[in-house]
Amino acid sequence: GAVVSQHPSWVICKSGTSVKIECRSLDFQATTMFWYRQFPKQSLMLMATSNEGSKATYEQGVEKDKFLINHASLTLSTLTVTSAHPEDSSFYICSVIWTGATEAFFGQGTRLTVV
Amino acid sequence: AQSVSQHNHHVILSEAASLELGCNYSYGGTVNLFWYVQYPGQHLQLLLKYFSGDPLVKGIKGFEAEFIKSKFSFNLRKPSVQWSDTAEYFCAVGEYAGGGNKLTFGTGTQLKVEL
């Protein structure tokens, strides 16, 4: 069964509003979570790396004030897209990993559409 | 920075045909290499991975991949595909960061297996 739960699976929001996406690790304590974004017909692009209890590390070109990441516990990380615009419409995917693991587990993704 | 190139964007095969999906990467350091599969409507799942040792790695569902360092390649193979292998396949290079592998993905290959 799934070890990572991402919610919601899809969301439509109005331009200018904020959207929160949750990523939960179901079976283990995730020390590190990664957030990816995938545009149509393109690769998954890493947005940020999130470690529990510390600030997220953002990849170059990703606005940290626009994509707020909170990793408040070992089982939950959230990505908030603030003041969303149509160009933020994309597929957002989280992955989680725990200490000593050699592979990450992925959530099912969230399809965000900003209208 | 590392990059991953998948040359085949769409592949259509008949059942029982052999499969080879190309993956080339550029990265200056020690690489960890992965192949992920995403079946329609499902999470990304790990097919196989290479960290060190035998360059021919075997994964789940009869898949294997060969790491050829001199060619910076990690091609995925399966001798005889099945209809259930219809999915999108992603090659990824991992860079160890903050407790886990930070992955750089290729653009993916959409495989369709026809009966």
Side-chain angles (χ1 to χ4, degrees):
Chain A
V3 296
V4 180
S5 174
Q6 197 172 331
H7 178 81
S9 299
W10 59 271
V11 58
I12 301 173
C13 71
K14 289 185 178 180
S15 188
T17 61
S18 295
V19 174
K20 181 185 284 189
I21 302 169
E22 291 187 348
C23 180
R24 291 185 183 273
S25 172
L26 300 179
D27 295 331
F28 52 88
Q29 295 181 329
T31 51
T32 304
M33 290 186 174
F34 301 95
W35 286 96
Y36 294 85
R37 179 171 55 186
Q38 185 181 27
F39 291 107
K41 300 186 187 298
Q42 294 187 29
S43 179
L44 283 79
M45 300 295 294
L46 180 65
M47 298 175 67
T49 302
S50 168
N51 290 299
E52 187 265 337
S54 61
K55 290 184 179 180
T57 302
Y58 290 81
E59 295 299 301
Q60 194 171 11
V62 178
E63 300 174 58
K64 62 179 182 180
D65 294 329
K66 181 169 185 61
F67 299 99
L68 301 178
I69 292 172
N70 186 297
H71 192 161
S73 76
L74 286 170
T75 59
L76 175 65
S77 176
T78 60
L79 168 68
T80 301
V81 183
T82 62
S83 187
H85 290 285
E87 57 265 31
D88 299 324
S89 298
S90 188
F91 194 57
Y92 294 86
I93 305 172
C94 72
S95 74
V96 305
I97 197 163
W98 69 98
T99 303
T102 57
E103 67 174 277
F105 292 90
F106 287 81
Q108 75 272 31
T110 298
R111 173 75 59 194
L112 169 63
T113 302
V114 185
V115 297
Chain B
Q2 58 266 50
S3 65
V4 180
S5 176
Q6 288 182 247
H7 315 296
N8 318 101
H9 298 297
H10 291 91
V11 174
I12 301 175
L13 295 173
S14 299
E15 266 206 328
S18 64
L19 169 73
E20 180 160 3
L21 300 181
C23 173
N24 287 90
Y25 66 92
S26 65
Y27 183 55
T30 302
V31 291
N32 298 324
L33 296 160
F34 304 80
W35 274 98
Y36 283 88
V37 61
Q38 188 169 30
Y39 299 102
Q42 295 189 28
H43 302 62
L44 276 167
Q45 300 173 37
L46 182 68
L47 267 182
L48 48 80
K49 61 191 176 190
Y50 171 79
F51 280 29
S52 63
D54 190 343
L56 183 63
V57 292
K58 295 190 183 299
I60 61 172
K61 305 186 181 186
F63 286 91
E64 64 178 32
E66 185 175 12
F67 169 54
I68 303 179
K69 189 174 181 179
S70 60
K71 295 184 178 180
F72 298 92
S73 69
F74 190 56
N75 293 354
L76 180 71
R77 298 194 292 249
K78 185 170 184 178
S80 176
V81 295
Q82 300 173 307
W83 178 80
S84 57
D85 293 324
T86 294
E88 189 156 20
Y89 293 80
F90 294 92
C91 181
V93 171
E95 174 189 355
Y96 191 82
N101 268 293
K102 188 168 72 170
L103 299 174
T104 299
F105 285 87
T107 50
T109 297
Q110 188 70 52
L111 171 66
K112 182 178 180 183
V113 180
E114 297 178 331
L115 295 170

